[in-house]
Amino acid sequence: MLRRQATAGAIIALALGFGAATAASAGEIKIGMVTPITGPAAESGKYAQIGAKMAIDEINAAGGVNGNTLTLVVEDDQTTNPGAVAAFSRLASQSDIQVFLGSIRSTQVDAMSPDIVKLGKPVFIGGTAPQLTHQGNQWLFRCRPNDSYSARVIADFGVDTLGLKKWAIVHSTDAFGSGGMNALTAALKSHGLEPALVQGYPNQSPDFSAVVLAVKSSGADIIGSYFTFENDLGIFAKQLRQFGVQAKWVGSPSITTATAIKLAGPTLNGTYGIADFAADSSPEAKAFSTKYETIAHASADNFSSWTFDAVHIAAKAMTDAKSADPAKFREAILAIKGYKGVEGTYNFDQNGDGLHGYNVVKNDGGKIVFDKHVEYTD
């Protein structure tokens, strides 16, 4: 099995121009990456690798980090929690890897977290469940805003801008979805509202008709959602329209991704999303989007943007620390303030959260249109 995984990884690496992952040579800094190469999220894993490789190429072209070049070493998480744990274990066993890119899936980060604590080296993550950076793991550094912010933006936008008050919350029952549901319920409570429906579902569900019927029966005029996987979201979106549900829909970032739009097609037209990455949100995001589309032949989204930022932030911290010592590296990351990435402006707090706001976007005929950015200071 390990041989098959390594072969799959090598094929993806060569296709993206990474080259083979071998033992580090002199003057080389290895970055370990856990991402899906196989399984239902394999396409998003490809996009994540492209984002990381774009950053590495930029950094190496500018002289590297303290005179050293960066190299990416990728392991397949197989789109499962056990696969993520095994992938991280294989990377962690290589003592010359000093920094890691973890998963965008909160449930996988949660599964890897005990091993990350044991290893004691910085791991950048894209998982947005709030509790990930609030459980005493000092080695997690998040390069996306967490869902305590997304929930507030969803609630504020739905209530204050759209003027809707009868909510149905649809969420995966994993760490990400449950955390998002709890945060959105609390955010609605601050508006004096209780949701008409809170409906969970298991990941990789083949049929969402029961969930859709529950939404329809609730009489909700707005849906707030936290979907972990785009294939689930695609099925739900199609069945939602098949059953004639016309409620407005404001979703977590998965509703805005290129994969979701590809799978759901026109059934997502007119929906709103809370996106950490939006191409028109800043000059940095626009420049990244233009370059990414040329390389990937796909629209840029959060799968590639967070890994691009994570590599650049890791490089900056290594340069500032001037040391491979994990403790000094960690302090250099936490000291980063006002760094303008493609996801937003990073101001790391002591929990390891770098971003504190979200963009509101709309699906206009399959194109993600930027509306506004909402930043929180509390």
Side-chain angles (χ1 to χ4, degrees), residues 145-164:
N146 73 55
D147 286 323
S148 66
Y149 303 110
S150 70
R152 291 170 67 179
V153 178
I154 289 173
D156 291 349
F157 181 74
V159 175
D160 297 333
T161 302
L162 299 181
L164 302 174

Side-chain angles (χ1 to χ4, degrees), residues 258-343:
T259 303
I261 294 169
K262 178 180 177 181
L263 292 173
T267 59
L268 287 181
N269 290 354
T271 59
Y272 296 91
I274 306 305
D276 41 299
F277 174 79
D280 293 324
S281 62
S282 71
E284 292 80 12
K286 188 64 176 178
F288 169 78
S289 180
T290 300
K291 185 175 181 180
Y292 176 87
E293 288 179 12
T294 300
I295 295 171
H297 306 292
S299 298
D301 60 22
N302 55 28
F303 290 119
S304 55
S305 59
W306 88 264
T307 58
F308 179 86
D309 277 354
V311 171
H312 271 291
I313 289 169
K316 174 175 171 51
M318 284 187 281
T319 300
D320 293 346
K322 294 182 174 60
S323 170
D325 177 73
K328 293 181 180 179
F329 189 5
R330 175 179 180 273
E331 289 304 315
I333 298 169
L334 294 178
I336 291 175
K337 310 291 181 187
Y339 174 81
K340 292 185 180 298
V342 302
E343 287 251 336

Side-chain angles (χ1 to χ4, degrees), residues 10 38 107 129 134 139 164 168 192 211 213 252 282 377:
T38 59
T107 182
H134 291 74
W139 299 107
L164 302 174
V211 177
L213 285 172
S252 67
S282 71
T377 58

Side-chain angles (χ1 to χ4, degrees), residues 7-169:
T7 301
I11 291 171
I12 294 293
L14 290 171
L16 296 176
F18 291 167
T22 58
S25 60
E28 185 177 59
I29 297 173
K30 294 169 68 176
I31 299 176
M33 182 177 191
V34 175
T35 199
I37 295 173
T38 59
E43 185 172 41
S44 67
K46 178 181 74 174
Y47 296 152
Q49 290 180 68
I50 293 173
K53 183 60 168 56
M54 285 174 61
I56 285 173
D57 287 346
E58 288 184 4
I59 294 163
N60 286 343
V65 175
N66 299 325
N68 301 301
T69 59
L70 300 182
T71 301
L72 193 66
V73 183
V74 183
E75 286 287 348
D76 182 15
D77 67 28
Q78 303 177 347
T79 319
T80 67
N81 288 8
V85 173
F88 182 75
S89 179
R90 291 192 293 273
L91 292 170
S93 68
Q94 302 178 49
S95 60
D96 52 352
I97 297 181
Q98 298 301 319
V99 60
F100 302 81
L101 304 182
S103 178
I104 196 173
R105 315 288 178 187
S106 295
T107 182
Q108 293 180 351
V109 176
D110 198 42
M112 292 188 295
S113 188
D115 289 339
I116 293 171
V117 172
K118 291 178 184 177
L119 180 65
K121 292 181 179 179
V123 177
F124 291 91
I125 62 170
T128 54
Q131 70 270 20
L132 294 175
T133 54
H134 291 74
Q135 298 181 132
N137 187 342
Q138 65 175 342
W139 299 107
L140 294 178
F141 303 92
R142 186 164 12 217
C143 289
R144 296 177 66 208
N146 73 55
D147 286 323
S148 66
Y149 303 110
S150 70
R152 291 170 67 179
V153 178
I154 289 173
D156 291 349
F157 181 74
V159 175
D160 297 333
T161 302
L162 299 181
L164 302 174
K165 297 183 178 181
K166 195 169 186 179
W167 287 73
I169 300 176

